[in-house]
Amino acid sequence: MDQVFNVLKQRFGHQTFRPGQEKTIRAILDEQQVVSVLPTGTGKSLCYQLPSYLLNGQVIIVSPLISLMEDQVRSLIKHGEKHVVAINSQLSLEERQWVFQRLNQYRFIFVTPESLMNRELINRLKHLSISMFVVDEAHCISTWGIDFRPDYERLYSVIKELSYPKVLALTATATSQVLMDIKEKLFNMSLPIQTINTSVNRPNIYYHVEEMQATATKNEWLRVFVSRYQGPGMIYCTTRKDTEAVSQFLKEKTSLKVAYYHGGMNGVERANIQQQFIQGSLDCLVATSAFGMGVDKGNIRYVIHYQLPNSLESYVQESGRAGRDGQQSVSIVLYDENDQRIHHYFRKELENEWQTYAQLTEMEDISKDSYSDIQTKWFDYQEKERFSKEELENRIKQRLQDKQNQVNQMLFFLNTNACRREVILKYFGHESIEAQEICCDNCNEFSQEGLPIGLYGEKLKNHQQKIKKPEEIIKKLFNS
């Protein structure tokens, strides 16, 4: 038996790999640059954790969310790995200095893109033997770049300073355009790049769209749904205000244990809510997109989007939180055509930020205190990457157009009469599959009155029974 399987069994206690894992692991051991697209719930973290025990030196993992890296740190410690650290904004100055002085003692170094730009940290990393540079949730390079977190655009500069270690980019969702974006911004294009692209299809997730007319209608629908269908489940909202309002409504109108989660909460509050949900103390969690990436909870039975998701990429990522244990689960979008307004507002806000920035940079003796957070990041990015204002403006204009195109694609998914699963597969450039018995609302011929919620909690007596009728499909679909 070779070393890869030895480590898999002895270190991680597994006998076999999930789809795409072994291919990714062997690729990064043999090659210098690898990008791997693996479906949500297939264990992407193993793809860098296992090779680290076969390579010499430290592994840097760039992670987009503090909650995600904390989750991964806890998981590694739980499995016996003590040489792991997370570097982010939650460390005090004293803690940061203590960690910096001991970097050579760690095998895994988790860091946010922003923290990685610290000059002292880069200088210290240059004195280490970096075996692998990993970018987790690599689609963020494309989706969270110039308009939100410009430091993602600067990762290649750090890789270059570290003398080009092995680079592994991991994501669950990437169109051909996003894949190209990842490669151009992260890899040395003059060297070979191995691409591993597995299907985004999640056969155990049923897709459904419920058209709504107003907030009150949505809330009543939710009340009935969560009361009759056993979770645990998640409800995604676009704004922090909505997460709190929906959570409060469900607390008042049901007997369920419900909480909300968003980026405006402090770290202790977020960690507390996350642990409650993971440990099974909550029936339902109402959250913004700040929650979810890499969260290790396999038995989420439903994911509901309270509003129009901003893109098909985000939707597939977030709906993919359901059914990681392989059991039948459901993804539902509550769609009101007025939901488009919030995305228009976000795009307009970005336009206004740029116009103000352009005006400020024309003025003399302007303090950086006059800039907003994102404008300060643009200023730093321009200065350090030597971008002209015109080049930066073109990047932002392109990003605005991309955002509109993504919303349009999401609208197509919501309004189509075709198989929703096929729309997802086609968008991500994957091949069609054979028709599934349980697929989506367009394939299973449900009545126009909507989902027969009353059947959600019913158990199917014969799990192997051949499904022939819509009502039987529903029974199996929501078998708990």
Side-chain angles (χ1 to χ4, degrees):
M1 184 175 296
D2 67 8
Q3 289 181 308
V4 169
F5 274 96
N6 279 336
V7 175
L8 178 69
K9 291 184 177 182
Q10 294 172 12
R11 170 65 64 169
F12 298 96
H14 300 312
Q15 300 297 315
T16 59
F17 288 104
R18 293 178 182 176
Q21 285 181 327
E22 182 181 2
K23 192 173 182 180
T24 301
I25 289 166
R26 294 193 185 279
I28 197 59
L29 288 172
D30 295 338
E31 306 290 341
Q32 191 71 15
Q33 303 185 124
V34 178
V35 56
S36 183
V37 183
L38 302 174
T40 53
T42 54
K44 290 186 290 295
S45 58
L46 185 73
C47 296
Y48 63 80
Q49 290 176 8
L50 191 154
S52 73
Y53 295 103
L54 298 173
L55 298 170
N56 295 319
Q58 287 77 28
V59 177
I60 297 173
I61 305 100
V62 179
S63 185
L65 300 176
I66 293 174
S67 60
L68 172 57
M69 65 169 64
E70 288 176 342
D71 234 28
Q72 293 170 330
V73 167
R74 277 194 295 267
S75 177
L76 281 165
I77 293 174
K78 181 180 177 181
H79 288 90
E81 178 55 70
K82 298 179 180 179
H83 303 98
V84 54
V85 68
I87 301 173
N88 54 54
S89 59
Q90 293 192 347
L91 291 181
S92 67
L93 181 60
E94 293 77 14
E95 290 171 331
R96 186 179 292 256
Q97 287 302 314
W98 192 90
V99 168
F100 282 5
Q101 292 167 11
R102 294 164 177 79
L103 282 176
N104 65 339
Q105 298 178 19
Y106 299 107
R107 180 186 297 274
F108 298 100
I109 302 171
F110 288 87
V111 61
T112 59
E114 292 77 15
S115 295
L116 185 59
M117 297 305 141
N118 180 289
R119 176 42 56 184
E120 182 184 357
L121 175 58
I122 293 174
N123 288 337
R124 289 184 178 273
L125 290 174
K126 287 165 70 174
H127 288 91
L128 301 180
S129 174
I130 306 299
S131 63
M132 191 169 19
F133 189 101
V134 181
V135 181
D136 198 9
E137 308 293 351
H139 61 279
C140 294
I141 292 172
S142 182
T143 59
W144 281 5
I146 199 68
D147 61 318
F148 182 34
R149 298 176 71 174
D151 287 324
Y152 264 110
E153 306 267 340
R154 299 169 58 198
L155 292 179
Y156 182 74
S157 298
V158 178
I159 293 170
K160 186 177 179 180
E161 283 201 64
L162 297 178
S163 301
Y164 298 104
K166 288 177 179 288
V167 179
L168 173 61
L170 295 166
T171 183
T173 54
T175 62
S176 57
Q177 180 56 51
V178 170
L179 272 175
M180 181 54 65
D181 217 17
I182 291 171
K183 292 175 182 179
E184 290 178 346
K185 293 176 181 176
L186 198 59
F187 295 122
N188 184 339
M189 296 299 286
S190 64
L191 297 175
I193 303 169
Q194 183 158 348
T195 303
I196 297 162
N197 198 350
T198 56
S199 177
V200 298
N201 184 39
R202 291 288 304 282
N204 63 316
I205 296 179
Y206 165 84
Y207 299 101
H208 181 87
V209 176
E210 190 73 23
E211 293 189 12
M212 296 285 170
Q213 299 271 324
T215 298
T217 309
K218 287 186 179 183
N219 288 347
E220 179 58 19
W221 192 97
L222 280 177
R223 182 192 68 79
V224 174
F225 179 91
V226 300
S227 297
R228 293 186 181 180
Y229 174 48
Q230 184 178 358
M234 288 190 65
I235 301 170
Y236 275 107
C237 295
T238 304
T239 68
R240 298 172 180 179
K241 181 180 178 181
D242 284 330
T243 65
E244 297 181 17
V246 171
S247 175
Q248 186 61 34
F249 173 83
L250 293 177
K251 283 181 179 178
E252 293 175 355
K253 299 298 182 179
T254 72
S255 60
L256 300 177
K257 296 175 182 177
V258 184
Y260 65 85
Y261 181 108
H262 58 63
M265 301 162 67
N266 65 47
V268 174
E269 290 174 324
R270 292 199 306 269
N272 184 40
I273 294 298
Q274 180 170 321
Q275 283 306 108
Q276 288 183 50
F277 187 59
I278 290 173
Q279 293 170 2
S281 301
L282 296 175
D283 299 305
C284 181
L285 181 64
V286 188
T288 62
S289 58
F291 184 91
M293 286 187 184
V295 172
D296 187 16
K297 185 172 178 64
N299 67 335
I300 297 175
R301 293 278 70 85
Y302 62 83
V303 172
I304 298 173
H305 281 81
Y306 188 75
Q307 286 127 338
L308 168 72
N310 63 7
S311 69
L312 205 50
E313 290 96 330
S314 296
Y315 171 68
V316 171
Q317 279 271 349
E318 291 163 0
S319 65
R321 314 289 176 229
R324 293 192 172 200
D325 57 4
Q327 299 301 307
Q328 188 63 59
S329 304
V330 62
S331 165
I332 300 171
V333 180
L334 305 183
Y335 172 53
D336 178 348
E337 60 181 16
N338 290 323
D339 290 344
Q340 298 179 51
R341 294 176 183 174
I342 186 64
H343 299 297
H344 175 75
Y345 169 79
F346 288 147
R347 290 193 300 276
K348 194 66 181 175
E349 193 176 49
L350 179 59
E351 287 180 14
N352 293 337
E353 286 277 9
W354 171 255
Q355 289 170 3
T356 304
Y357 176 78
Q359 292 169 1
L360 288 173
T361 54
E362 293 295 326
M363 299 179 183
E364 296 182 2
D365 301 324
I366 290 294
S367 167
K368 285 184 71 173
D369 293 338
S370 302
Y371 294 124
S372 67
D373 288 344
I374 186 61
Q375 289 166 355
T376 300
K377 291 177 181 178
W378 287 339
F379 184 88
D380 292 340
Y381 179 75
Q382 247 191 283
E383 192 174 61
K384 292 172 182 177
E385 298 300 315
R386 295 187 176 90
F387 258 50
S388 69
K389 190 165 71 173
E390 290 72 23
E391 289 174 311
L392 187 58
E393 181 177 16
N394 289 336
R395 295 284 293 276
I396 291 172
K397 284 182 177 179
Q398 183 59 53
R399 183 70 188 120
L400 285 166
Q401 184 59 54
D402 290 344
K403 282 176 175 285
Q404 182 59 59
N405 293 341
Q406 288 173 330
V407 170
N408 290 342
Q409 187 61 43
M410 191 67 221
L411 289 171
F412 175 78
F413 171 83
L414 297 177
N415 291 307
T416 187
N417 292 321
C419 171
R420 300 192 195 278
R421 191 178 304 275
E422 285 295 321
V423 171
I424 292 173
L425 291 172
K426 184 176 181 180
Y427 179 72
F428 287 101
H430 297 304
E431 294 182 359
S432 297
I433 59 170
E434 293 184 8
Q436 295 187 190
E437 291 177 330
I438 299 173
C439 185
C440 71
D441 51 350
N442 286 341
C443 292
N444 294 137
E445 300 180 359
F446 296 139
S447 68
Q448 293 181 351
E449 297 174 8
L451 250 51
I453 299 171
L455 297 177
Y456 279 16
E458 294 185 12
K459 294 184 178 181
L460 191 66
K461 294 180 180 179
N462 183 359
H463 290 249
Q464 305 302 320
Q465 182 178 353
K466 178 68 176 179
I467 301 174
K468 296 180 180 179
K469 299 178 181 179
E471 54 267 28
E472 291 174 327
I473 291 174
I474 294 299
K475 287 181 182 179
K476 182 176 179 182
L477 170 60
F478 297 107
N479 172 43
S480 59

